[in-house]
Amino acid sequence: MPRPLERGQIAAVALCCVLAGCSSLHLQDAGRTGPLDILTAGVTAARTNAVARSIDVPLREDWSYNAGGGFGPYGPLVYGKYVIVGTRTGEVHVVSSDRGKKVGSRSFGDAVNGSPEIRGSVMYVPSAWGRKHSVAAYDLATGAIKWTYGKMPVEASLLLAADIVVFVDASSTVRALTVRRGEPVWSRTLDRDAWVRSSPVLVDGHTVVVADDRGRVYGLDLATGTEHWRANIGGAVVETPASGAGAVFVSTTRGRLYALDSKNGAIHWIENASDSRVRFTSAAVSDDVIVVGASDGTVRSLNSEDGTTNWTWHGDGVIAGAAVIAGDKVFFGSMSRMAYALDLRSGALLWSHEVRGRIKSAPAVGHNAVYFLSEPRYLYRFVPEEEDYATTE
């Protein structure tokens, strides 16, 4: 059950945090967001992994920041003049985008594998271990926890849509809570023998799509949790699906990428890798094009309507994190410690840069900068070479 905190409880928690030496996280200008901000995993609730604005290349490294812990598969958030990232040590760090300096951090006790989500001044944080809570709502303006819910692990990111937050816990139960107080709206248990590692996706504005590691994909009503459709694609799904162009693009660990009809789950087309052991990443979707990386080091651009190949690009390292489309370019990283930019229409290599560790997460593109996360603990900001210094619009 949700546990809203009263004023006295908040004060007590704050005092305990001070005595324990916890870091603080309090932003005076919280809530000031703009159209170039990235406030959710996958850029949008549909997990399109795409932004409209392009960025000039080549890029130069502007700064790097030591976050003190590793990262999940999702990219950092861009929140006004800040960059926000959760770590597997259980901390959320806020970094100034212009100079890469720490503004504040807050420990949430358990590993943060899914990306935090932000609406207004409130940040919603999933817990991958669930020892203290499944989800915490934290007010960045006041520096206080508004509410917490549950004690089951939540490995993936949350979905904020309408006035509810949707997530899947370790019991394979999809839950919807009110964003204001964390009160239950509905819940639906799927298959308890399956594990959901991918994030829920909003499709057509009213359907939540969830996929499990036994190859089942569910379309649930956002308002009630009622099952609209179900598809069985046979291969385990651990990467978050992406939605766009009337379809849901679902990647598997068995060398297949499926395009399912967003209204009924019917299969539109299937992309097959030559090796069934290949694992596809989450897709990036823009207009009639999707871009998807894979463990064989290949990036594929496919026609979203029929799955025909536009181009392929092959590198020398495993691609584990999703690519991000930014206007006419594609940005992604590899396990060979390289960050890349390709031309969206031709697949030509436009830029590359070596970082200190393997890149297993999606990048983030916002405010004329590209952010990468690399092992074991580094956040990087890259800006166009012609800029004299880093700026935030």
Side-chain angles (χ1 to χ4, degrees):
M1 293 295 294
R3 301 187 297 277
L5 300 181
E6 302 297 333
R7 187 185 302 271
Q9 292 175 300
I10 292 174
V13 170
L15 177 60
C16 290
C17 194
V18 170
L19 294 175
C22 298
S23 298
S24 62
L25 183 52
H26 176 198
L27 305 179
Q28 292 183 342
D29 53 355
R32 297 179 184 176
T33 62
L36 300 181
D37 289 352
I38 308 298
L39 305 178
T40 186
V43 180
T44 67
R47 317 299 190 193
T48 55
N49 289 301
V51 298
R53 180 165 183 174
S54 183
I55 291 182
D56 292 335
V57 293
L59 303 174
R60 63 174 175 84
E61 183 181 321
D62 190 26
W63 50 255
S64 64
Y65 171 82
N66 185 342
F71 313 103
Y74 308 96
L77 303 181
V78 181
Y79 183 57
K81 61 184 181 182
Y82 307 111
V83 185
I84 298 179
V85 62
T87 72
R88 285 176 166 162
T89 60
E91 293 183 327
V92 173
H93 289 248
V94 177
V95 183
S96 63
S97 58
D98 58 349
R99 292 293 180 262
K101 301 299 183 182
K102 181 178 179 178
V103 175
S105 66
R106 184 26 159 104
S107 175
F108 287 87
D110 291 341
V112 180
N113 191 60
S115 170
E117 311 281 306
I118 297 177
R119 176 177 291 181
S121 66
V122 181
M123 176 174 65
Y124 301 85
V125 184
S127 169
W129 295 346
R131 293 182 299 187
K132 294 185 177 180
H133 53 256
S134 298
V135 179
Y138 183 84
D139 195 322
L140 291 166
T142 64
I145 291 180
K146 293 174 65 68
W147 53 259
T148 64
Y149 181 92
K151 284 192 176 182
M152 290 290 287
V154 179
E155 287 201 353
S157 294
L158 316 172
L159 171 65
L160 295 180
D163 292 323
I164 62 176
V165 53
V166 181
F167 63 95
V168 190
D169 64 28
S171 68
S172 292
T173 299
V174 188
R175 302 185 187 275
L177 313 176
T178 61
V179 295
R180 184 176 180 182
R181 295 182 59 83
E183 298 168 332
V185 178
W186 56 262
S187 66
R188 185 175 187 87
T189 300
L190 306 177
D191 184 346
R192 290 191 183 275
D193 293 329
W195 191 268
V196 178
R197 302 181 185 180
S198 61
S199 302
V201 179
L202 185 64
V203 177
D204 299 332
H206 53 76
T207 300
V208 177
V209 170
V210 178
D212 66 29
D213 65 357
R214 303 187 85 182
R216 271 79 58 92
V217 186
Y218 302 84
L220 309 178
D221 187 270
L222 173 64
T224 65
T226 302
E227 183 177 313
H228 289 322
W229 54 261
R230 182 187 303 190
N232 191 343
I233 59 176
V237 179
V238 297
E239 303 290 345
T240 298
S243 176
V248 182
F249 303 98
V250 186
S251 301
T252 76
T253 61
R254 296 185 179 178
R256 289 187 172 185
L257 169 71
Y258 289 80
L260 306 181
D261 190 292
S262 61
K263 292 183 172 56
N264 56 30
I267 297 175
H268 282 177
W269 51 261
I270 305 172
E271 168 71 6
N272 288 286
S274 57
D275 185 343
S276 63
R277 295 172 297 179
V278 167
R279 297 176 59 155
F280 284 107
T281 69
S282 298
V285 185
S286 180
D287 298 326
D288 59 345
V289 173
I290 73 165
V291 177
V292 61
S295 59
D296 60 359
T298 301
V299 178
R300 296 165 171 83
S301 170
L302 308 173
N303 181 283
S304 60
E305 183 176 353
D306 57 17
T308 54
T309 300
N310 299 317
W311 51 258
T312 60
W313 178 91
H314 189 77
D316 62 358
V318 170
I319 299 169
V324 170
I325 296 173
D328 58 357
K329 298 177 182 68
V330 180
F331 294 94
F332 62 96
S334 78
M335 298 282 277
S336 60
R337 304 191 304 174
M338 296 298 295
Y340 295 103
L342 305 181
D343 183 271
L344 176 61
R345 290 302 167 185
S346 68
L349 178 63
L350 302 177
W351 169 82
S352 64
H353 184 93
E354 185 174 4
V355 295
R356 293 183 229 184
R358 301 182 300 176
I359 298 175
K360 301 170 65 176
S361 310
V365 181
H367 297 277
N368 206 34
V370 184
Y371 299 91
F372 284 92
L373 302 173
S374 83
E375 293 185 333
R377 62 184 70 88
Y378 295 103
L379 163 65
Y380 292 86
R381 170 180 159 107
F382 292 92
V383 296
E385 277 191 355
E386 65 270 17
E387 289 193 359
D388 291 332
Y389 54 88
T391 60
T392 301
E393 298 178 0

